[in-house]
Amino acid sequence: MIHFERKVVSAWLVLLAFLVAGTRARANDNYSEQVFFENSLSHGNYFYSSGKVTPPSTLELIDGKLPVESDTFISGPNALKLQWASAVNGGWSAEVKLYQWRNRARLFPGAKLFLWLYAAQGIRAVDLPQLALRDAEGDFSQPLELSAYTQDIKPGSWKRVGIPLASFKSASVNPFQPHRVSTLILLQGNVQGKADATPHTLLLDDIRIENDAPSNQAAPRAPTHVQAKGYERHIDITWSPVEDQALAQYVIYRSAGGEPFRPIGVQRPGVNRYCDYTGDPHLTASYRVSARTSSLRESPPSPAATASTHAMTDDELLTMVQEAGFRYYWEAAEPHSGMTRENTPGDDDIVAVGASGFGVMAILVATERGFITHQQAIERLSRITEFLSTADHYHGAWPHFLSGSTGRRLPVFDMYDNGADLVETSFMMEGLLAARQYFKQDGPSGQALYRRITKLWQEVDWNWFRATPQRDALYWHWSPEYSFHIANRLTGWNEVMITYLDAIASPTHGIPAGDYYSGWVGEGIGNRYANGKSYFGIKLDVGGNTGGPLFFTDYSFMGFDPRGIHDRFTGYFDNNRAQALINQQYCIHNPHHWQGYGEDTWGLTAVDGPEGYVPYEPSFDPDDGTIAPTGAISAFPYTPQASMAALKHFYRDLGAQVWSIYGFRDAFNLQQNWFSGITMGLNQAPMVVMIENYRSGLVWKNFMANPEIQPALKNIGFRVDIGEPRTP
């Protein structure tokens, strides 16, 4: 372990972490089931919108999408802006689509659609547009008149309009399902009086589907324990959660330079942290936080907390990124199991086994860096290992997804993928084995954790997953109902090298070392594991085409230290470095001419992009302009200068749209003005861990110290490089 002065973890932070874990159980699910639109992550226009206009009518659009207004809003920092003029023989329509993040169930149980409306100049009710809805299946309703549900919109005053979902009658061949609404459609229509040729501007904000609030609903109580901490370009604000079923939002207020407090943003229930990215490294600001209902019954503001931004060294920036990324596995963990949620916002109950293994390694880093104490870490890891010991598992291997509350399997991807997932299990064991070594000297609690991890490790029957009569390779999935029906043979170059290393190293159910070559390398089945070509003048020893997505270079190498050793094909530190440099060079050459690509904007890897999951890599076909910060930042051990340039550019230049409460956002696409609104469990920890491996080799040292690892590598045929091994 590295030694340095540890930060003191204050009592209020420990309390806050406990309270956060208790309140998140329902927060994201309620948010997903109520909020249709809250604010736009993109400046200028709202990505999940579109519009069409037929002259002589007009409709303001920016790149075909609705503009956003950043000076006037309900849910900061912006609102939707609808600006039109309806003319005879013309028409217009504007669609606002639901942000369908991963695992979001498009089901709104509430009975009414609520919209907040604002017009600086006022709008008569009869001049308001029509509104129709489209459901998740593409079926749609008849348009109805907004004027039937509201009086005139007074100048400069927000008004909330509520429309019963039952009022939307089906107009499609198949029945429209109002509780599965996916699109709001505002349109001119052809009603008498609509074509007045008069310009109108209407703001829409905080669109929700919920039930009427009780007439005697009280405002929530004010948040307490508000704290602010300044970094280089942003200030983090935290508070203790407010327990109130009616709570819809926290509202964050800021005062700087003696100005009055004004709202700058909102946060959803269950998340008790807000990032104010100011972009100014020399700012002092004060913050207050209130709690309010969706009908704007608002608590008094909290007492103010003050902090200042300040210049930070490269080393401090690295620590900042590690601490922020770690928070996802600490603050946003599923409270019963301690496991990592697949994504947030998302389904609160879905925890991912592999991402949780990555989170274990992030907890190890956080302990060493003093973000949490050893005892806090051991308590969390004890909860995780106790959960894993009773959760569904098959031949010692866990499913990809589990219910965090029950431990039961969750077939999220497919009906056949409902049993053991050997790759996810290997990611979990990668983390647990590193933790087993790190905490084994921590007294009785560390020894107890050591024994629990050892038992889980010894129970995995890797040999069972050599499914075919040839028994020369591992297979990814096994189901108690469908056996090896998916038939996914684990053959590289990809992210599953660690699966073979774990399986060969197993002290109880190991596989022959020769399966590394027949299975992982794919000798004898025509796979082209070896490459040998050069791209942009950089030779790549193994891997298809230009190497593939960058997660190939970190998932297996968060624990497995590739420095100073090689098999018969390559030294994987060198090969991973080559793959990362090829990735950067591809973005420098930028064959599509995408906006933003360059020396400090690179990182093509598998991520949820604007159109869903894509395994982005440096080749012309899958590249649509989407960059994932985890790609470049997790390459730190291989490309420290290039990764640091990317880190500084992402943080200092792209700023508020790329940096959030858990560090760098999952992905962004400057060409399409799109920024991810979710955090994925697979993406934050690689940045935390690989930065640490660059700085100190911490996780590498602890994983490689397990007594089973070195004999396995020797049996495979790994040999020490000539000369001194690399050091971080």
Side-chain angles (χ1 to χ4, degrees):
M1 303 179 194
I2 59 175
H3 299 281
F4 51 88
E5 183 178 355
R6 300 186 182 278
K7 300 175 184 177
V8 177
V9 181
S10 63
W12 78 265
L13 276 174
V14 177
L15 174 64
L16 177 60
F18 173 78
L19 292 172
V20 166
T23 58
R24 286 191 60 87
R26 65 173 181 85
N28 281 335
D29 284 344
N30 285 1
Y31 179 79
S32 298
E33 293 172 357
Q34 294 174 358
V35 175
F36 192 94
F37 170 83
E38 193 172 61
N39 53 58
S40 171
L41 288 176
S42 304
H43 291 315
N45 63 13
Y46 182 49
F47 181 82
Y48 299 99
S49 70
S50 61
K52 183 177 181 180
V53 61
T54 303
S57 294
T58 62
L59 176 68
E60 182 184 5
L61 298 171
I62 299 177
D63 294 331
K65 302 181 186 298
L66 284 178
V68 294
E69 167 63 45
S70 57
D71 291 330
T72 305
F73 47 75
I74 291 290
S75 299
N78 49 48
L80 295 172
K81 183 179 180 181
L82 186 68
Q83 190 167 4
W84 77 94
S86 299
V88 175
N89 297 323
W92 61 266
S93 64
E95 299 193 1
V96 181
K97 301 175 180 64
L98 182 70
Y99 179 12
Q100 182 56 39
W101 55 68
R102 180 180 291 224
N103 298 320
R104 182 172 192 173
R106 286 178 287 189
L107 180 64
F108 293 91
K112 272 189 175 181
L113 170 67
F114 288 94
L115 310 91
W116 283 96
L117 305 179
Y118 175 95
Q121 306 303 319
I123 296 182
R124 296 185 306 162
V126 296
D127 293 330
L128 291 170
Q130 292 183 318
L131 176 65
L133 305 179
R134 186 182 295 121
D135 67 22
E137 305 302 322
D139 299 310
F140 49 89
S141 73
Q142 297 174 3
L144 53 76
E145 295 293 328
L146 280 176
S147 60
Y149 300 91
T150 183
Q151 298 175 342
D152 296 348
I153 308 298
K154 296 179 180 179
S157 177
W158 282 98
K159 184 175 182 60
R160 198 181 198 210
V161 177
I163 307 171
L165 289 182
S167 299
F168 293 95
K169 306 302 181 184
S170 182
S172 52
V173 174
N174 295 312
F176 166 68
Q177 303 173 68
H179 293 282
R180 287 176 52 77
V181 60
S182 67
T183 308
L184 274 62
I185 308 167
L186 297 139
L187 66 165
Q188 172 181 325
N190 292 308
V191 177
Q192 183 69 26
K194 291 294 182 187
D196 58 4
T198 301
H200 297 288
T201 301
L202 181 69
L203 303 185
L204 302 92
D205 202 3
D206 205 67
I207 302 172
R208 296 171 179 263
I209 298 171
E210 58 185 18
N211 295 321
D212 279 314
S215 58
N216 62 347
Q217 185 182 70
R221 62 177 177 83
T224 58
H225 300 103
V226 176
Q227 301 283 328
K229 181 178 180 180
Y231 295 86
E232 186 182 273
R233 306 291 173 99
H234 76 281
I235 296 175
D236 267 346
I237 304 96
T238 58
W239 57 91
S240 294
V242 172
E243 293 290 348
D244 192 319
Q245 290 292 328
L247 175 66
Q249 292 172 327
Y250 297 105
V251 187
I252 293 83
Y253 294 84
R254 178 181 66 201
S255 171
E259 296 179 350
F261 280 91
R262 64 179 184 87
I264 58 170
V266 296
Q267 187 57 276
R268 64 184 183 273
V271 181
N272 309 304
R273 181 182 295 274
Y274 183 84
C275 171
D276 180 24
Y277 187 93
T278 68
D280 184 347
H282 307 289
L283 177 75
T284 297
S286 297
Y287 298 88
R288 290 174 174 166
V289 182
S290 69
R292 74 181 181 195
T293 69
S294 57
S295 58
L296 303 194
R297 291 182 171 89
E298 189 167 352
S299 75
S302 69
T306 301
S308 300
T309 57
H310 54 89
M312 296 177 73
T313 65
D314 288 0
D315 205 50
E316 289 171 328
L317 287 172
L318 292 177
T319 301
M320 176 191 77
V321 173
Q322 289 181 293
E323 183 178 16
F326 154 72
R327 290 190 198 118
Y328 181 74
Y329 305 90
W330 194 255
E331 296 180 358
E334 196 283 322
H336 172 260
S337 63
M339 298 274 282
T340 302
R341 289 181 167 123
E342 166 74 347
N343 55 277
T344 183
D347 187 315
D348 285 348
D349 195 45
I350 297 176
V351 297
V353 169
S356 296
F358 293 175
V360 168
M361 289 182 273
I363 289 172
L364 190 154
V365 173
T367 308
E368 185 72 4
R369 288 283 159 189
F371 306 151
I372 55 175
T373 66
H374 274 245
Q375 192 56 40
Q376 285 176 297
I378 290 172
E379 288 173 0
R380 174 64 62 85
L381 294 177
S382 296
R383 190 189 316 172
I384 290 172
T385 52
E386 288 167 3
F387 171 81
L388 289 172
S389 69
T390 59
D392 284 348
H393 54 284
Y394 309 92
H395 302 280
W398 298 281
H400 191 138
F401 299 109
L402 293 165
S403 162
S405 58
T406 68
R408 302 286 75 84
R409 58 182 174 171
L410 295 176
V412 173
F413 289 151
D414 182 75
M415 64 178 285
Y416 300 116
D417 187 9
N418 71 341
D421 186 308
L422 195 65
V423 174
E424 294 290 305
T425 297
S426 69
F427 293 157
M428 173 56 76
M429 292 313 311
E430 185 179 18
L432 290 179
L433 288 175
R436 181 175 77 156
Q437 289 300 115
Y438 183 81
F439 292 104
K440 69 178 182 179
Q441 302 300 329
D442 277 79
S445 61
Q447 284 295 308
L449 178 64
Y450 185 98
R451 290 190 294 272
R452 279 194 297 273
I453 292 174
T454 299
K455 185 174 186 295
L456 295 173
W457 166 230
Q458 293 176 347
E459 288 176 348
V460 182
D461 188 353
W462 307 91
N463 193 56
W464 172 264
F465 292 87
R466 302 166 72 215
T468 64
Q470 292 78 19
R471 299 186 66 76
D472 60 350
L474 293 170
Y475 281 73
W476 198 311
H477 307 90
W478 181 84
S479 161
E481 289 81 18
Y482 309 111
S483 190
F484 291 103
H485 181 72
I486 296 179
N488 191 344
R489 178 187 173 108
L490 300 186
T491 300
W493 170 252
N494 51 41
E495 73 272 31
V496 306
M497 177 187 274
I498 192 66
T499 313
Y500 278 93
L501 298 183
D502 283 351
I504 294 167
S506 170
T508 51
H509 303 287
I511 67 172
D515 283 11
Y516 177 88
Y517 292 101
S518 60
W520 163 243
V521 174
E523 289 183 340
I525 63 171
N527 273 62
R528 296 186 61 186
Y529 184 76
N531 188 308
K533 298 178 182 178
S534 292
Y535 306 88
F536 309 109
I538 303 165
K539 185 183 177 184
L540 190 67
D541 290 339
V542 305
N545 298 320
T546 52
L550 275 176
F551 75 97
F552 291 179
T553 69
D554 50 66
Y555 283 13
S556 286
F557 300 95
M558 294 164 70
F560 171 46
D561 182 358
R563 296 172 301 168
I565 59 174
H566 62 275
D567 65 9
R568 69 175 74 155
F569 291 93
T570 190
Y572 289 94
F573 185 95
D574 292 336
N575 196 74
N576 290 346
R577 179 171 57 190
Q579 184 172 335
L581 290 172
I582 290 168
N583 199 293
Q584 183 199 30
Q585 284 297 316
Y586 173 87
C587 291
I588 292 171
H589 285 76
N590 192 8
H592 284 290
H593 306 290
W594 297 133
Q595 182 179 341
Y597 275 27
E599 188 175 12
D600 55 6
T601 306
W602 58 282
L604 300 175
T605 190
V607 73
D608 284 3
E611 303 300 327
Y613 174 81
V614 178
Y616 296 108
E617 60 180 82
S619 57
F620 193 85
D621 187 29
D623 174 24
D624 67 1
T626 299
I627 294 291
T630 188
I633 306 304
S634 298
F636 240 102
Y638 317 120
T639 57
Q641 291 80 21
S643 294
M644 180 58 81
L647 185 156
K648 290 179 177 177
H649 175 60
F650 295 158
Y651 178 67
R652 291 173 174 171
D653 301 328
L654 301 182
Q657 292 176 291
V658 173
W659 181 266
S660 190
I661 58 174
Y662 302 128
F664 291 117
R665 294 191 183 277
D666 259 31
F668 62 89
N669 188 310
L670 299 180
Q671 184 70 27
Q672 300 184 45
N673 194 27
W674 174 87
F675 302 87
S676 176
I678 65 169
T679 301
M680 284 284 297
L682 286 173
N683 292 340
Q684 303 309 102
M687 292 186 277
V688 177
V689 173
M690 295 305 272
I691 286 175
E692 191 59 42
N693 281 333
Y694 160 70
R695 298 177 83 178
S696 70
L698 176 73
V699 184
W700 280 341
K701 292 173 185 175
N702 281 278
F703 177 83
M704 299 297 282
N706 283 279
E708 302 92 340
I709 302 302
Q710 296 299 333
L713 294 176
K714 182 178 180 180
N715 290 338
I716 290 170
F718 276 89
R719 296 294 180 263
V720 176
D721 294 344
I722 297 174
E724 292 297 320
R726 297 173 184 83
T727 57

